[in-house]
């Protein structure tokens, strides 16, 4: 996937022991999650003295991540683990969506080259950002909307400093992932952002409430 906001892989192969290896671009900077939690870590390129909360910077970063995800979708690829810690920010304004280790294809013709979504055997990704259809492992619903849900959950973290999904243990957390549903923001979140979040969440499949598979 050759895109300005996707970390490039330069070479693939196997080492002397037969294990797979790859050579990728060296990324220097901080994760978006670090910059959200500690604004002082936000690269100077994104800082704006007129925006002390850095909302405009986070929206700019979010827009670039959306661009990367959209490009991947045009190639039939789902990331499946979109979250602030998987976005790297460089000192010169670089924004890179990284960690494509569990990415899958939505096209059966890609089977054998990359994993295919319908072959997933268990929920994967990060539960705090996981879409309902992934937590329930409903293969027929896993698609671009699954990533869009995670984009919304990522924006949610940037706005609230909290993960979208919470639970007292992994089983409870996955159950809450399956439930999905809207989120009521207080007045600190602009109505347009709240509406955008709701639209992205609604893009993901609406599944019946019920217990997810055992963890």
């Amino acid at each position: 996937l050759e895109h300005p906001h996707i970390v490039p892989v330069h070479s693939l192969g196997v080492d002397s022991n037969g294990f797979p290896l790859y050579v990728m671009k060296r990324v220097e900077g901080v994760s978006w999650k670090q910059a959200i939690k500690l604004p002082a870590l936000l690269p100077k390129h994104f800082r704006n003295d007129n925006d002390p909360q850095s909302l405009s910077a986070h929206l700019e970063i979010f827009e670039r991540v959306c661009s990367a995800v959209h490009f991947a979708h045009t190639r039939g690829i789902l990331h499946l683990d979109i979250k602030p810690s998987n976005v790297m920010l460089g000192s010169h304004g670089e924004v890179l969506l990284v960690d494509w280790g569990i990415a899958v294809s939505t096209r059966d013709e890609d089977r054998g080259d990359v994993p295919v979504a319908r072959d997933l055997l268990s929920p994967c990704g990060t539960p705090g950002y996981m879409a309902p259809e992934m937590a329930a492992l409903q293969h027929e619903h896993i698609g671009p909307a699954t990533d869009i849900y995670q984009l919304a959950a990522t924006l949610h973290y940037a706005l609230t400093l909290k993960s979208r999904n919470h639970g007292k243990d992994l089983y409870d957390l996955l159950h809450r992932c399956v439930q999905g549903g809207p989120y009521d923001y207080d007045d600190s979140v602009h109505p347009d952002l709240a509406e955008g979040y709701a639209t992205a969440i609604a893009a993901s499949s609406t599944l019946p409430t019920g217990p997810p598979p055992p963890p």
Side-chain angles (χ1 to χ4, degrees), residues 118-129:
R118 67 173 60 250
D119 293 336
L120 290 170
L121 299 177
S122 63
C124 59
T126 304
Y129 302 86

Side-chain angles (χ1 to χ4, degrees), residues 47-210:
R47 296 182 193 175
N48 184 342
D49 294 337
N50 297 321
D51 183 16
Q53 294 183 329
S54 301
L55 178 59
S56 60
H58 292 315
L59 292 178
E60 178 184 350
I61 294 166
F62 180 70
E63 183 178 11
R64 297 188 192 184
V65 176
C66 288
S67 173
V69 174
H70 172 70
F71 176 80
H73 289 174
T74 66
R75 299 298 188 271
I77 299 297
L78 307 178
H79 186 285
L80 296 186
D81 198 17
I82 302 167
K83 56 185 179 180
S85 59
N86 280 343
V87 177
M88 294 296 298
L89 309 178
S91 59
H92 299 288
E94 305 97 321
V95 176
L96 291 171
L97 180 58
V98 302
D99 199 355
W100 294 74
I102 60 172
V104 298
S105 174
T106 58
R107 302 183 297 201
D108 285 340
E109 59 265 31
D110 289 338
R111 182 177 280 107
D113 295 323
V114 295
V116 176
R118 67 173 60 250
D119 293 336
L120 290 170
L121 299 177
S122 63
C124 59
T126 304
Y129 302 86
M130 191 178 291
E133 63 272 19
M134 176 56 74
L137 200 62
Q138 296 206 0
H139 295 89
E140 67 273 22
H141 295 304
I142 296 173
T146 307
D147 275 352
I148 292 172
Y149 185 102
Q150 292 185 325
L151 285 170
T154 297
L155 177 62
H156 175 86
Y157 186 89
L159 296 174
T160 67
L161 285 176
K162 297 178 182 178
S163 298
R164 170 63 178 84
N165 303 317
H166 299 273
K168 61 185 179 181
D169 53 38
L170 181 57
Y171 184 82
D172 182 51
L173 179 53
L174 288 176
H175 178 69
R176 292 176 183 272
C177 290
V178 172
Q179 288 179 317
Y183 187 93
D184 293 326
Y185 291 101
D186 58 30
D187 293 340
S188 65
V189 175
H190 192 283
D192 288 346
L193 291 177
E195 182 181 357
Y197 170 86
T199 300
I201 290 294
S204 191
S205 302
T206 301
L207 301 175
T209 300

